[in-house]
Amino acid sequence: MSDTAGQDIRQAEQQSGEDRRKRLRERRQEANRRAERILGHPGSLGTLRERLALLQQAGDVYDLDEPSDMYGDGVVEALEDKVAALLGKEAAAFFPTGTMAQQVALRCWAGRTGDPAVALHPMAHPEVHERHALSQVSGLRTVRLTSEPRLPTADEVRGVEEPFGTLMLELPLRDAGFVLPSWQELTEVVEAARERDAVVHFDGARLWETTVHFGRPLDEIAGLADSVYVSFYKSLDGYAGAALAGPRTLVEEAKVWRHRYGGMMFQQFPTALSALVGLERELPRLPSYVRHAHLVAAALREGFAEAGVPWSAVHPATPHTHQFQVWLPYDPDVVAAAAVRTAEETRTVLFAGGWEARGPGIAATEVSVQAPGLEWTADDVKAAVADFVSRLTAEAGRREPDTGAGS
């Protein structure tokens, strides 16, 4: 066979695999929408009618007879004031995306410290999910603190061999398993940065749900940092948007850069109202989600052991937030197909997310426990695991495993 013919075959196989995973992803999303029982169901997966229904509660959180917003006044200012108060900061600025909010924050700090270097974890969002925006757009440079799948330690911050102006900590560190340090470890890391005359910025996209793990209120947690970014859709189920909170002078400068980056939108009331609804409805519920995730995680471990799975891992063993990872010793395509088939046939969704390869024959997914999951008992979880494993075993026996990424 010629090299060209071999390449054509490989491209065809790759395309076939991508098409198969796309179809499986569509089936998974439809099964999640039709589920009668599910551990967590992000509102973003709802229909347009369902998402618009969120604003039916807007009258409970803001006077809808007030004039509409224009270029960030009105309801947007009300949201900014509320966030600043919740986080114990002088001021806050609304941004259409977290990527923009953090770029602006880090750029402003670089100007104030005179150092464009940002110390962060290589698994942090800007390094993994933003297409090198810090360097390509904002002229910043990153310094990596550790390769371990956890937040950096104080000694690692002290041991960095080059200066940096800002320490950025993602709380929780999502790609490592939604992990958090202890409160003592966090305070020591912040102090280590201060010793180096660096400012501290929290990537707090999911900071809202860290209060149970730290045993502290939001304003005390956020008070460790000079500035904090929070998201309105990742945990609060809003339409989109983010906020940057910190000293008033920083926030005012950030608003200038927000305009320069194209974030000064004419009207933002639907997103701002959805964020206010999320703060009113979801924020008080998050601690109950986190506590119930402890029960769900333990039941998953027990269920897989009882079902005879060779090994499994729930990471962290006791979740730090209401989200965590599950690892299984199967090809991700096999697990993804079994999970979808289980959801379609039983209308019970144990694993709502996709599965990814974490090594040969190892699949991992993320589990989120939200309001629907509070109804699940430990026995419910173990029964769902047994049902899922029976289909997983059958699926694994039907085809040879491959090493493609899961859907």
Side-chain angles (χ1 to χ4, degrees):
M1 181 186 300
S2 69
D3 291 343
T4 301
Q7 184 177 5
D8 290 344
I9 291 174
R10 286 192 295 272
Q11 289 177 344
E13 290 175 345
Q14 182 180 8
Q15 186 63 45
S16 175
E18 291 174 354
D19 289 343
R20 182 178 70 252
R21 293 177 191 112
K22 180 181 178 181
R23 291 193 297 271
L24 190 63
R25 183 164 55 250
E26 292 171 348
R27 286 173 56 197
R28 171 167 55 84
Q29 292 171 347
E30 179 61 22
N32 289 350
R33 283 192 287 267
R34 294 166 57 86
E36 296 174 356
R37 301 196 70 194
I38 190 169
L39 284 173
H41 193 281
S44 58
L45 297 179
T47 64
L48 288 172
R49 186 178 302 278
E50 290 169 339
R51 293 302 280 158
L52 285 171
L54 181 65
L55 293 185
Q56 293 177 0
Q57 305 172 57
D60 297 332
V61 297
Y62 192 77
D63 184 357
L64 300 184
D65 290 323
E66 288 288 319
S68 182
D69 64 302
M70 290 187 181
Y71 294 118
D73 64 4
V75 65
V76 177
E77 286 185 342
L79 174 61
E80 292 171 339
D81 291 343
K82 186 174 184 66
V83 170
L86 284 169
L87 298 178
K89 298 299 184 184
E90 288 184 350
F94 179 84
F95 280 81
T97 71
T99 298
M100 184 187 295
Q102 297 213 114
Q103 278 197 61
V104 167
L106 296 173
R107 181 168 194 153
C108 290
W109 283 127
R112 288 163 181 247
T113 64
D115 191 335
V118 180
L120 44 63
H121 196 288
M123 298 177 76
H125 197 279
E127 288 289 87
V128 180
H129 301 291
E130 296 181 13
R131 298 185 179 225
H132 309 291
L134 290 183
S135 60
Q136 297 298 315
V137 179
S138 300
L140 303 176
R141 181 172 58 84
T142 59
V143 176
R144 298 189 172 193
L145 294 167
T146 178
S147 59
E148 295 296 320
R150 54 160 173 73
L151 274 296
T153 66
D155 285 343
E156 286 167 339
V157 171
R158 293 188 183 99
V160 175
E161 296 177 345
E162 58 181 307
F164 55 86
T166 305
L167 170 67
M168 195 195 91
L169 298 174
E170 183 178 328
L171 302 174
L173 187 57
R174 183 259 182 95
D175 283 357
F178 304 95
V179 297
L180 291 163
S182 69
W183 179 252
Q184 180 176 345
E185 288 169 337
L186 180 59
T187 56
E188 290 174 352
V189 166
V190 170
E191 178 59 30
R194 305 280 190 227
E195 293 171 6
R196 301 192 57 149
D197 295 324
V199 297
V200 178
H201 171 76
F202 285 171
D203 175 341
R206 298 172 174 84
L207 192 75
W208 307 114
E209 60 262 39
T210 64
T211 56
V212 174
H213 177 82
F214 287 135
R216 300 291 195 284
L218 270 172
D219 58 350
E220 187 174 352
I221 298 168
L224 291 179
D226 297 283
S227 61
V228 180
Y229 139 69
V230 289
S231 172
F232 296 126
Y233 75 89
K234 288 185 171 69
S235 302
L236 301 181
D237 232 5
Y239 291 163
L244 171 65
R248 189 172 302 281
T249 55
L250 177 82
V251 170
E252 292 304 316
E253 182 186 359
K255 289 181 178 180
V256 174
W257 281 105
R258 179 182 64 185
H259 196 173
R260 290 169 176 159
Y261 273 68
M264 180 63 79
M265 300 169 65
F266 178 55
Q267 288 196 312
Q268 302 167 94
F269 66 89
T271 301
L273 286 171
S274 74
L276 287 170
V277 171
L279 290 170
E280 178 73 17
R281 184 184 69 176
E282 286 298 306
L283 183 57
R285 297 178 181 178
L286 288 175
S288 65
Y289 300 171
V290 176
R291 296 186 183 98
H292 201 66
H294 298 172
L295 178 148
V296 171
L300 284 170
R301 287 196 305 274
E302 294 171 11
F304 282 121
E306 292 170 4
V309 174
W311 66 266
S312 65
V314 173
H315 177 66
T318 300
H320 297 173
T321 72
H322 69 298
Q323 298 175 292
F324 54 92
Q325 294 178 346
V326 170
W327 294 42
L328 292 175
Y330 295 90
D331 178 84
D333 281 354
V334 172
V335 188
V340 168
R341 182 171 288 107
T342 303
E344 291 173 337
E345 295 175 358
T346 68
R347 296 289 181 91
T348 294
V349 178
L350 186 62
F351 301 113
W355 292 81
E356 296 182 350
R358 294 299 172 90
I362 300 176
T365 192
E366 296 176 346
V367 174
S368 297
V369 177
Q370 296 169 291
L374 298 179
E375 301 175 1
W376 291 54
T377 66
D379 287 341
D380 291 335
V381 175
K382 288 190 279 189
V385 168
D387 197 356
F388 165 70
V389 170
S390 67
R391 288 173 170 79
L392 175 58
T393 302
E395 184 69 29
R398 270 196 292 267
R399 56 175 167 164
E400 291 291 329
D402 57 49
T403 58
S407 169

mmCIF file of all heavy atoms in Angstrom, residues 54-55 57-58 60-63 74-83 86 94 232 236 238-239 269-284:
data_model
loop_
_atom_site.group_PDB
_atom_site.id
_atom_site.type_symbol
_atom_site.label_atom_id
_atom_site.label_comp_id
_atom_site.label_asym_id
_atom_site.label_seq_id
_atom_site.Cartn_x
_atom_site.Cartn_y
_atom_site.Cartn_z
ATOM 1 N N LEU A 54 -36.536 31.497 32.768
ATOM 2 C CA LEU A 54 -35.743 31.948 33.899
ATOM 3 C C LEU A 54 -36.063 33.389 34.254
ATOM 4 O O LEU A 54 -36.071 33.774 35.435
ATOM 5 C CB LEU A 54 -34.247 31.799 33.574
ATOM 6 C CG LEU A 54 -33.244 32.190 34.653
ATOM 7 C CD1 LEU A 54 -33.372 31.269 35.861
ATOM 8 C CD2 LEU A 54 -31.824 32.132 34.097
ATOM 9 N N LEU A 55 -36.350 34.192 33.251
ATOM 10 C CA LEU A 55 -36.616 35.611 33.490
ATOM 11 C C LEU A 55 -37.989 35.861 34.099
ATOM 12 O O LEU A 55 -38.290 36.994 34.505
ATOM 13 C CB LEU A 55 -36.468 36.395 32.190
ATOM 14 C CG LEU A 55 -35.048 36.461 31.610
ATOM 15 C CD1 LEU A 55 -35.009 37.363 30.390
ATOM 16 C CD2 LEU A 55 -34.040 36.946 32.650
ATOM 17 N N GLN A 57 -38.744 34.952 36.872
ATOM 18 C CA GLN A 57 -38.435 35.239 38.275
ATOM 19 C C GLN A 57 -37.723 36.576 38.449
ATOM 20 O O GLN A 57 -37.403 36.965 39.572
ATOM 21 C CB GLN A 57 -37.549 34.132 38.841
ATOM 22 C CG GLN A 57 -38.124 32.740 38.693
ATOM 23 C CD GLN A 57 -37.121 31.674 39.089
ATOM 24 O OE1 GLN A 57 -36.611 31.680 40.217
ATOM 25 N NE2 GLN A 57 -36.819 30.769 38.197
ATOM 26 N N ALA A 58 -37.461 37.272 37.347
ATOM 27 C CA ALA A 58 -36.662 38.493 37.426
ATOM 28 C C ALA A 58 -37.342 39.574 38.248
ATOM 29 O O ALA A 58 -36.668 40.377 38.900
ATOM 30 C CB ALA A 58 -36.359 39.013 36.017
ATOM 31 N N ASP A 60 -38.732 39.308 40.952
ATOM 32 C CA ASP A 60 -38.474 39.101 42.382
ATOM 33 C C ASP A 60 -37.128 39.674 42.818
ATOM 34 O O ASP A 60 -36.882 39.820 44.023
ATOM 35 C CB ASP A 60 -38.507 37.603 42.707
ATOM 36 C CG ASP A 60 -39.857 36.973 42.446
ATOM 37 O OD1 ASP A 60 -40.873 37.688 42.524
ATOM 38 O OD2 ASP A 60 -39.899 35.757 42.162
ATOM 39 N N VAL A 61 -36.260 39.972 41.859
ATOM 40 C CA VAL A 61 -34.902 40.410 42.212
ATOM 41 C C VAL A 61 -34.587 41.824 41.730
ATOM 42 O O VAL A 61 -33.558 42.393 42.127
ATOM 43 C CB VAL A 61 -33.845 39.437 41.638
ATOM 44 C CG1 VAL A 61 -34.010 38.061 42.262
ATOM 45 C CG2 VAL A 61 -33.914 39.356 40.124
ATOM 46 N N TYR A 62 -35.469 42.395 40.880
ATOM 47 C CA TYR A 62 -35.200 43.742 40.374
ATOM 48 C C TYR A 62 -36.515 44.355 39.908
ATOM 49 O O TYR A 62 -37.399 43.657 39.389
ATOM 50 C CB TYR A 62 -34.203 43.691 39.209
ATOM 51 C CG TYR A 62 -33.657 45.051 38.821
ATOM 52 C CD1 TYR A 62 -32.672 45.671 39.585
ATOM 53 C CD2 TYR A 62 -34.132 45.720 37.694
ATOM 54 C CE1 TYR A 62 -32.172 46.918 39.239
ATOM 55 C CE2 TYR A 62 -33.645 46.966 37.343
ATOM 56 C CZ TYR A 62 -32.673 47.564 38.119
ATOM 57 O OH TYR A 62 -32.194 48.807 37.773
ATOM 58 N N ASP A 63 -36.642 45.651 40.095
ATOM 59 C CA ASP A 63 -37.855 46.372 39.687
ATOM 60 C C ASP A 63 -37.887 46.483 38.164
ATOM 61 O O ASP A 63 -37.127 47.253 37.566
ATOM 62 C CB ASP A 63 -37.865 47.766 40.328
ATOM 63 C CG ASP A 63 -39.144 48.534 40.020
ATOM 64 O OD1 ASP A 63 -39.993 48.011 39.260
ATOM 65 O OD2 ASP A 63 -39.277 49.662 40.536
ATOM 66 N N GLY A 74 -28.003 51.088 35.270
ATOM 67 C CA GLY A 74 -29.233 50.406 35.661
ATOM 68 C C GLY A 74 -29.006 49.047 36.308
ATOM 69 O O GLY A 74 -28.274 48.919 37.295
ATOM 70 N N VAL A 75 -29.631 48.031 35.742
ATOM 71 C CA VAL A 75 -29.592 46.693 36.330
ATOM 72 C C VAL A 75 -28.163 46.137 36.370
ATOM 73 O O VAL A 75 -27.815 45.359 37.260
ATOM 74 C CB VAL A 75 -30.531 45.743 35.566
ATOM 75 C CG1 VAL A 75 -30.066 45.524 34.137
ATOM 76 C CG2 VAL A 75 -30.653 44.410 36.291
ATOM 77 N N VAL A 76 -27.337 46.545 35.420
ATOM 78 C CA VAL A 76 -25.943 46.076 35.419
ATOM 79 C C VAL A 76 -25.207 46.645 36.628
ATOM 80 O O VAL A 76 -24.465 45.930 37.314
ATOM 81 C CB VAL A 76 -25.229 46.458 34.110
ATOM 82 C CG1 VAL A 76 -23.772 46.036 34.143
ATOM 83 C CG2 VAL A 76 -25.935 45.825 32.916
ATOM 84 N N GLU A 77 -25.415 47.915 36.926
ATOM 85 C CA GLU A 77 -24.800 48.508 38.105
ATOM 86 C C GLU A 77 -25.311 47.852 39.381
ATOM 87 O O GLU A 77 -24.542 47.636 40.335
ATOM 88 C CB GLU A 77 -25.085 50.008 38.151
ATOM 89 C CG GLU A 77 -24.275 50.831 37.149
ATOM 90 C CD GLU A 77 -24.502 52.313 37.322
ATOM 91 O OE1 GLU A 77 -25.520 52.690 37.957
ATOM 92 O OE2 GLU A 77 -23.677 53.102 36.841
ATOM 93 N N ALA A 78 -26.602 47.521 39.401
ATOM 94 C CA ALA A 78 -27.156 46.848 40.579
ATOM 95 C C ALA A 78 -26.489 45.495 40.796
ATOM 96 O O ALA A 78 -26.184 45.115 41.931
ATOM 97 C CB ALA A 78 -28.666 46.677 40.415
ATOM 98 N N LEU A 79 -26.249 44.773 39.706
ATOM 99 C CA LEU A 79 -25.562 43.489 39.801
ATOM 100 C C LEU A 79 -24.133 43.681 40.294
ATOM 101 O O LEU A 79 -23.663 42.925 41.164
ATOM 102 C CB LEU A 79 -25.570 42.796 38.436
ATOM 103 C CG LEU A 79 -24.761 41.505 38.321
ATOM 104 C CD1 LEU A 79 -25.286 40.438 39.282
ATOM 105 C CD2 LEU A 79 -24.791 40.990 36.875
ATOM 106 N N GLU A 80 -23.441 44.674 39.766
ATOM 107 C CA GLU A 80 -22.060 44.933 40.194
ATOM 108 C C GLU A 80 -22.002 45.254 41.683
ATOM 109 O O GLU A 80 -21.119 44.747 42.406
ATOM 110 C CB GLU A 80 -21.480 46.086 39.370
ATOM 111 C CG GLU A 80 -21.272 45.739 37.906
ATOM 112 C CD GLU A 80 -20.897 46.932 37.058
ATOM 113 O OE1 GLU A 80 -21.173 48.078 37.480
ATOM 114 O OE2 GLU A 80 -20.327 46.736 35.955
ATOM 115 N N ASP A 81 -22.939 46.058 42.170
ATOM 116 C CA ASP A 81 -22.951 46.406 43.590
ATOM 117 C C ASP A 81 -23.203 45.181 44.458
ATOM 118 O O ASP A 81 -22.586 45.024 45.521
ATOM 119 C CB ASP A 81 -24.023 47.470 43.860
ATOM 120 C CG ASP A 81 -23.683 48.826 43.255
ATOM 121 O OD1 ASP A 81 -22.503 49.048 42.902
ATOM 122 O OD2 ASP A 81 -24.605 49.659 43.118
ATOM 123 N N LYS A 82 -24.090 44.317 44.002
ATOM 124 C CA LYS A 82 -24.414 43.117 44.773
ATOM 125 C C LYS A 82 -23.210 42.178 44.861
ATOM 126 O O LYS A 82 -22.897 41.635 45.930
ATOM 127 C CB LYS A 82 -25.605 42.392 44.155
ATOM 128 C CG LYS A 82 -26.089 41.198 44.985
ATOM 129 C CD LYS A 82 -27.350 40.607 44.418
ATOM 130 C CE LYS A 82 -27.882 39.479 45.300
ATOM 131 N NZ LYS A 82 -28.323 39.952 46.632
ATOM 132 N N VAL A 83 -22.520 42.013 43.746
ATOM 133 C CA VAL A 83 -21.351 41.131 43.733
ATOM 134 C C VAL A 83 -20.245 41.691 44.627
ATOM 135 O O VAL A 83 -19.603 40.958 45.387
ATOM 136 C CB VAL A 83 -20.848 40.928 42.294
ATOM 137 C CG1 VAL A 83 -19.501 40.223 42.285
ATOM 138 C CG2 VAL A 83 -21.867 40.117 41.496
ATOM 139 N N LEU A 86 -21.146 40.924 48.187
ATOM 140 C CA LEU A 86 -21.010 39.505 48.516
ATOM 141 C C LEU A 86 -19.554 39.107 48.712
ATOM 142 O O LEU A 86 -19.233 38.280 49.573
ATOM 143 C CB LEU A 86 -21.626 38.649 47.407
ATOM 144 C CG LEU A 86 -23.146 38.576 47.358
ATOM 145 C CD1 LEU A 86 -23.599 37.910 46.057
ATOM 146 C CD2 LEU A 86 -23.679 37.790 48.557
ATOM 147 N N PHE A 94 -18.969 44.316 35.568
ATOM 148 C CA PHE A 94 -19.556 43.221 34.788
ATOM 149 C C PHE A 94 -18.799 43.067 33.468
ATOM 150 O O PHE A 94 -18.453 44.065 32.822
ATOM 151 C CB PHE A 94 -21.026 43.525 34.504
ATOM 152 C CG PHE A 94 -21.704 42.468 33.678
ATOM 153 C CD1 PHE A 94 -22.234 41.338 34.275
ATOM 154 C CD2 PHE A 94 -21.815 42.599 32.297
ATOM 155 C CE1 PHE A 94 -22.865 40.365 33.518
ATOM 156 C CE2 PHE A 94 -22.429 41.629 31.534
ATOM 157 C CZ PHE A 94 -22.960 40.501 32.153
ATOM 158 N N PHE A 232 -21.124 33.839 36.263
ATOM 159 C CA PHE A 232 -22.557 33.809 36.549
ATOM 160 C C PHE A 232 -23.278 32.611 35.932
ATOM 161 O O PHE A 232 -24.470 32.436 36.168
ATOM 162 C CB PHE A 232 -23.225 35.101 36.066
ATOM 163 C CG PHE A 232 -22.749 36.322 36.779
ATOM 164 C CD1 PHE A 232 -22.268 37.409 36.072
ATOM 165 C CD2 PHE A 232 -22.771 36.392 38.161
ATOM 166 C CE1 PHE A 232 -21.813 38.540 36.727
ATOM 167 C CE2 PHE A 232 -22.316 37.518 38.828
ATOM 168 C CZ PHE A 232 -21.840 38.604 38.110
ATOM 169 N N LEU A 236 -24.198 29.270 38.896
ATOM 170 C CA LEU A 236 -25.423 30.000 39.188
ATOM 171 C C LEU A 236 -26.481 29.848 38.114
ATOM 172 O O LEU A 236 -27.604 30.318 38.278
ATOM 173 C CB LEU A 236 -25.111 31.491 39.391
ATOM 174 C CG LEU A 236 -24.120 31.812 40.520
ATOM 175 C CD1 LEU A 236 -23.918 33.313 40.635
ATOM 176 C CD2 LEU A 236 -24.592 31.226 41.840
ATOM 177 N N GLY A 238 -26.860 31.243 35.254
ATOM 178 C CA GLY A 238 -27.236 32.403 34.462
ATOM 179 C C GLY A 238 -26.961 32.180 32.991
ATOM 180 O O GLY A 238 -26.398 31.154 32.592
ATOM 181 N N TYR A 239 -27.327 33.146 32.171
ATOM 182 C CA TYR A 239 -27.134 33.011 30.725
ATOM 183 C C TYR A 239 -25.654 33.058 30.344
ATOM 184 O O TYR A 239 -25.213 32.323 29.464
ATOM 185 C CB TYR A 239 -27.864 34.136 29.996
ATOM 186 C CG TYR A 239 -29.366 34.040 30.050
ATOM 187 C CD1 TYR A 239 -30.154 35.149 29.752
ATOM 188 C CD2 TYR A 239 -30.018 32.868 30.404
ATOM 189 C CE1 TYR A 239 -31.540 35.086 29.791
ATOM 190 C CE2 TYR A 239 -31.400 32.796 30.457
ATOM 191 C CZ TYR A 239 -32.161 33.915 30.149
ATOM 192 O OH TYR A 239 -33.520 33.846 30.195
ATOM 193 N N PHE A 269 -29.339 43.571 29.815
ATOM 194 C CA PHE A 269 -30.294 43.271 30.884
ATOM 195 C C PHE A 269 -30.698 41.798 30.967
ATOM 196 O O PHE A 269 -30.883 41.287 32.082
ATOM 197 C CB PHE A 269 -31.532 44.173 30.778
ATOM 198 C CG PHE A 269 -32.375 43.950 29.551
ATOM 199 C CD1 PHE A 269 -33.396 43.019 29.545
ATOM 200 C CD2 PHE A 269 -32.151 44.698 28.403
ATOM 201 C CE1 PHE A 269 -34.171 42.820 28.421
ATOM 202 C CE2 PHE A 269 -32.915 44.509 27.273
ATOM 203 C CZ PHE A 269 -33.937 43.555 27.275
ATOM 204 N N PRO A 270 -30.845 41.046 29.850
ATOM 205 C CA PRO A 270 -31.217 39.637 30.047
ATOM 206 C C PRO A 270 -30.153 38.860 30.834
ATOM 207 O O PRO A 270 -30.478 38.098 31.749
ATOM 208 C CB PRO A 270 -31.352 39.103 28.610
ATOM 209 C CG PRO A 270 -31.591 40.311 27.774
ATOM 210 C CD PRO A 270 -30.786 41.384 28.416
ATOM 211 N N THR A 271 -28.881 39.073 30.498
ATOM 212 C CA THR A 271 -27.807 38.375 31.189
ATOM 213 C C THR A 271 -27.695 38.849 32.636
ATOM 214 O O THR A 271 -27.524 38.041 33.558
ATOM 215 C CB THR A 271 -26.476 38.601 30.465
ATOM 216 O OG1 THR A 271 -26.590 38.132 29.118
ATOM 217 C CG2 THR A 271 -25.349 37.849 31.145
ATOM 218 N N ALA A 272 -27.783 40.148 32.854
ATOM 219 C CA ALA A 272 -27.683 40.687 34.214
ATOM 220 C C ALA A 272 -28.833 40.193 35.083
ATOM 221 O O ALA A 272 -28.636 39.817 36.248
ATOM 222 C CB ALA A 272 -27.662 42.217 34.171
ATOM 223 N N LEU A 273 -30.044 40.181 34.540
ATOM 224 C CA LEU A 273 -31.196 39.685 35.306
ATOM 225 C C LEU A 273 -31.040 38.203 35.626
ATOM 226 O O LEU A 273 -31.352 37.758 36.734
ATOM 227 C CB LEU A 273 -32.488 39.931 34.532
ATOM 228 C CG LEU A 273 -32.983 41.381 34.483
ATOM 229 C CD1 LEU A 273 -34.154 41.512 33.510
ATOM 230 C CD2 LEU A 273 -33.388 41.868 35.872
ATOM 231 N N SER A 274 -30.556 37.429 34.661
ATOM 232 C CA SER A 274 -30.374 35.997 34.923
ATOM 233 C C SER A 274 -29.323 35.778 36.013
ATOM 234 O O SER A 274 -29.429 34.848 36.819
ATOM 235 C CB SER A 274 -29.976 35.260 33.639
ATOM 236 O OG SER A 274 -28.627 35.512 33.268
ATOM 237 N N ALA A 275 -28.299 36.642 36.057
ATOM 238 C CA ALA A 275 -27.288 36.536 37.107
ATOM 239 C C ALA A 275 -27.889 36.870 38.471
ATOM 240 O O ALA A 275 -27.600 36.195 39.469
ATOM 241 C CB ALA A 275 -26.119 37.464 36.796
ATOM 242 N N LEU A 276 -28.711 37.887 38.534
ATOM 243 C CA LEU A 276 -29.370 38.237 39.798
ATOM 244 C C LEU A 276 -30.286 37.111 40.265
ATOM 245 O O LEU A 276 -30.346 36.810 41.462
ATOM 246 C CB LEU A 276 -30.159 39.540 39.637
ATOM 247 C CG LEU A 276 -29.333 40.820 39.556
ATOM 248 C CD1 LEU A 276 -30.209 42.005 39.154
ATOM 249 C CD2 LEU A 276 -28.639 41.106 40.883
ATOM 250 N N VAL A 277 -30.985 36.486 39.322
ATOM 251 C CA VAL A 277 -31.830 35.332 39.675
ATOM 252 C C VAL A 277 -30.962 34.201 40.215
ATOM 253 O O VAL A 277 -31.302 33.547 41.203
ATOM 254 C CB VAL A 277 -32.651 34.861 38.459
ATOM 255 C CG1 VAL A 277 -33.345 33.531 38.758
ATOM 256 C CG2 VAL A 277 -33.684 35.909 38.071
ATOM 257 N N GLY A 278 -29.833 33.956 39.569
ATOM 258 C CA GLY A 278 -28.935 32.901 40.031
ATOM 259 C C GLY A 278 -28.408 33.158 41.427
ATOM 260 O O GLY A 278 -28.312 32.245 42.255
ATOM 261 N N LEU A 279 -28.043 34.411 41.708
ATOM 262 C CA LEU A 279 -27.568 34.758 43.042
ATOM 263 C C LEU A 279 -28.666 34.574 44.094
ATOM 264 O O LEU A 279 -28.388 34.189 45.234
ATOM 265 C CB LEU A 279 -27.072 36.208 43.063
ATOM 266 C CG LEU A 279 -25.773 36.472 42.297
ATOM 267 C CD1 LEU A 279 -25.520 37.968 42.188
ATOM 268 C CD2 LEU A 279 -24.589 35.791 42.979
ATOM 269 N N GLU A 280 -29.900 34.832 43.701
ATOM 270 C CA GLU A 280 -31.026 34.687 44.625
ATOM 271 C C GLU A 280 -31.442 33.231 44.805
ATOM 272 O O GLU A 280 -31.726 32.784 45.913
ATOM 273 C CB GLU A 280 -32.221 35.495 44.101
ATOM 274 C CG GLU A 280 -33.473 35.396 44.950
ATOM 275 C CD GLU A 280 -33.368 36.169 46.261
ATOM 276 O OE1 GLU A 280 -32.478 37.025 46.357
ATOM 277 O OE2 GLU A 280 -34.178 35.910 47.169
ATOM 278 N N ARG A 281 -31.432 32.465 43.698
ATOM 279 C CA ARG A 281 -31.973 31.106 43.726
ATOM 280 C C ARG A 281 -30.916 30.032 43.955
ATOM 281 O O ARG A 281 -31.073 29.149 44.805
ATOM 282 C CB ARG A 281 -32.712 30.816 42.407
ATOM 283 C CG ARG A 281 -33.410 29.455 42.369
ATOM 284 C CD ARG A 281 -34.028 29.198 41.028
ATOM 285 N NE ARG A 281 -33.008 28.990 39.982
ATOM 286 C CZ ARG A 281 -33.273 28.669 38.727
ATOM 287 N NH1 ARG A 281 -34.546 28.562 38.349
ATOM 288 N NH2 ARG A 281 -32.307 28.486 37.858
ATOM 289 N N GLU A 282 -29.815 30.086 43.204
ATOM 290 C CA GLU A 282 -28.837 29.001 43.243
ATOM 291 C C GLU A 282 -27.775 29.170 44.323
ATOM 292 O O GLU A 282 -27.335 28.185 44.914
ATOM 293 C CB GLU A 282 -28.152 28.855 41.879
ATOM 294 C CG GLU A 282 -29.039 28.226 40.811
ATOM 295 C CD GLU A 282 -29.463 26.815 41.178
ATOM 296 O OE1 GLU A 282 -28.590 25.978 41.469
ATOM 297 O OE2 GLU A 282 -30.680 26.565 41.192
ATOM 298 N N LEU A 283 -27.332 30.399 44.555
ATOM 299 C CA LEU A 283 -26.249 30.599 45.517
ATOM 300 C C LEU A 283 -26.581 30.013 46.898
ATOM 301 O O LEU A 283 -25.731 29.322 47.482
ATOM 302 C CB LEU A 283 -25.910 32.087 45.633
ATOM 303 C CG LEU A 283 -24.746 32.442 46.551
ATOM 304 C CD1 LEU A 283 -23.466 31.728 46.122
ATOM 305 C CD2 LEU A 283 -24.525 33.949 46.585
ATOM 306 N N PRO A 284 -27.792 30.217 47.450
ATOM 307 C CA PRO A 284 -28.078 29.623 48.765
ATOM 308 C C PRO A 284 -28.136 28.100 48.738
ATOM 309 O O PRO A 284 -27.974 27.458 49.784
ATOM 310 C CB PRO A 284 -29.451 30.211 49.125
ATOM 311 C CG PRO A 284 -29.605 31.420 48.262
ATOM 312 C CD PRO A 284 -28.892 31.090 46.992
#
